[in-house]
Amino acid sequence: MTDKQIHSLSRRQLLGGVGAIGVASAGAGLGTTAYFSDEESFDDNTLSAGELDLLVDYELSYDQGSAGSGGTSGTINGDVQVVDENGDDVAEGDAVSLTLDDVKPGDSGGAEFCFRIIDNPAYLWLNGELTVNDENGYTEPEPQTDSAGDVNDPGAPDGAGELADSIEATLYYEGDDPANGVIVEGTLTEVLAAASSGVLLDGDGIYGVEAGEQAPFDGGEDADNPCIYLDWEIPVGVGNEIQTDLVEFEFSFYAEQSRHNDGTNNPYSS
């Protein structure tokens, strides 16, 4: 065999040839059998836990017609917690609280919530809660009786108000197909009641997928994740019953790493 022929053999062919020679030598009883040995080491290795940090960028706005418009914005940041024996990370942000007072028929507004997850992709859940719905006293026109031509029933001045039931609200993803994006709509009371038991959010911005089938939200500062929007409006036909009423409500969000989880854990279910 020439040198040229040896160099044209693959490593597998060479090892096969060595094995054949070893078997022949042992069968002929020629000398002792030598075994090849090798040792590899994996030095200076480091294992570190992953990170899951949920940041929610929010923007709140209102429009009161001739009385003016405005808004505010900010970011809430969740703290990392290890919640089970598997070491799965979750991040739960502080709630965003909104207060509606000094509003009137025809006023409207909205809220936008956008998500950044550092750094593991995660499943997200939303929770909504009506925290204050007060009559907040009332002025003279509100408690008029049926005989005086006012059909509303305001109740006690320190009891529940009518404002939450009078506001029309829609919670949705923004997208090309609104039919796929609406999460829940109705009165503000109805929207928050539906959200109180937890709403899974889909990383593709599609509502209606079952738990376990939703897409996770991507991790990273530059991830292109869908935002959630709340639009609200007080119809112009609403009457004196909402005078002095005060409504406060909040949204909170929960993130759980998608790796090693199936997306079926609803942290807000009772």
Side-chain angles (χ1 to χ4, degrees):
M1 182 178 293
T2 66
D3 289 343
K4 182 176 181 181
Q5 289 173 313
I6 290 175
H7 291 307
S8 68
L9 294 175
S10 68
R11 180 174 181 272
R12 178 173 294 181
Q13 289 171 317
L14 285 173
L15 291 177
V18 171
I21 293 172
V23 170
S25 299
L30 300 178
T32 59
T33 301
Y35 294 93
F36 292 108
S37 66
D38 191 14
E39 184 177 355
E40 303 291 348
S41 63
F42 185 49
D43 299 323
D44 300 323
N45 53 86
T46 301
L47 299 178
S48 62
E51 180 184 5
L52 181 65
D53 193 10
L54 171 63
L55 294 90
V56 183
D57 300 318
Y58 64 88
E59 185 171 344
L60 313 178
S61 62
Y62 64 87
D63 183 355
Q64 295 186 289
S66 60
S69 60
T72 186
S73 61
T75 299
I76 53 175
N77 192 349
D79 295 324
V80 175
Q81 307 171 53
V82 177
V83 294
D84 61 22
E85 66 277 8
N86 297 320
D88 292 332
D89 291 334
V90 302
E92 188 170 8
D94 295 331
V96 180
S97 182
L98 302 91
T99 301
L100 300 183
D101 60 1
D102 194 27
V103 292
K104 64 184 185 303
D107 288 355
S108 62
E112 174 188 274
F113 304 102
C114 298
F115 310 100
R116 289 179 287 146
I117 301 173
I118 313 300
D119 55 1
N120 284 303
Y123 297 116
L124 260 63
W125 293 78
L126 170 150
N127 175 262
E129 183 179 359
L130 182 63
T131 55
V132 175
N133 184 31
D134 289 349
E135 191 74 72
N136 200 28
Y138 43 60
T139 55
E140 184 177 348
E142 185 173 352
Q144 289 178 342
T145 63
D146 290 351
S147 60
D150 190 344
V151 297
N152 87 83
D153 180 13
D158 57 353
E162 293 78 35
L163 182 55
D165 289 332
S166 301
I167 296 173
E168 294 181 353
T170 304
L171 188 66
Y172 64 100
Y173 301 100
E174 186 174 53
D176 296 332
D177 187 355
N180 286 338
V182 174
I183 297 171
V184 61
E185 58 185 344
T187 66
L188 183 62
T189 301
E190 292 168 340
V191 168
L192 293 171
S196 65
S197 57
V199 176
L200 70 85
L201 301 180
D202 180 67
D204 291 332
I206 299 174
Y207 180 70
V209 295
E210 298 292 331
E213 301 296 328
Q214 75 272 35
F217 284 66
D218 293 335
E221 284 280 359
D222 299 325
D224 185 18
N225 287 315
C227 299
I228 298 296
Y229 300 85
L230 173 74
D231 288 347
W232 61 268
E233 180 180 11
I234 304 175
V236 294
V238 173
N240 289 330
E241 64 266 26
I242 68 169
Q243 287 195 86
T244 73
D245 286 8
L246 175 67
V247 163
E248 293 182 4
F249 57 99
E250 64 184 29
F251 287 101
S252 56
F253 305 89
Y254 176 99
E256 180 179 77
Q257 68 180 37
S258 58
R259 189 178 67 253
H260 308 313
N261 292 294
D262 61 9
T264 60
N265 173 43
N266 180 354
Y268 301 109
S269 62
S270 56

